[in-house]
Amino acid sequence: MGSFISLAEAGAGQGLAHTPEQIVARRRGRPAGTTQAVTKEPVKLRLDADVLAALRASGDGWQTRINDMLRAALHLAGRI
């Protein structure tokens, strides 16, 4: 069961209280103002099954690690 806060706790800044209007007005996605200056571009990439399995097995953040590996390879090759 979730934890609930009282109105007194919410008024004292100890928790969050949302009105029905706030809940309906809330939009999906990231909150406004939380986007980075440099965004990443979504692409479709075909990888060998064993390579993809190994990357996914490394845990959360595997897509970021792919980006880091590609950046390091390009840096070593003198392309960036």
Side-chain angles (χ1 to χ4, degrees):
M1 184 177 246
S3 62
F4 296 97
I5 62 168
S6 69
L7 290 176
E9 290 172 323
Q14 296 174 350
L16 297 175
H18 299 287
T19 65
E21 293 81 16
Q22 288 172 321
I23 294 170
V24 170
R26 191 170 119 178
R27 296 180 182 217
R28 294 183 62 171
R30 293 181 183 263
T34 62
T35 58
Q36 297 176 350
V38 177
T39 59
K40 294 182 179 178
E41 186 174 335
V43 297
K44 185 173 183 176
L45 179 67
R46 297 174 61 87
L47 301 171
D48 292 334
D50 58 339
V51 171
L52 184 58
L55 289 165
R56 286 183 172 164
S58 67
D60 289 343
W62 63 270
Q63 291 171 319
T64 300
R65 283 191 294 281
I66 290 173
N67 189 71
D68 294 342
M69 286 186 260
L70 290 171
R71 180 175 298 282
L74 289 169
H75 182 71
L76 286 173
R79 299 209 177 166
I80 60 171

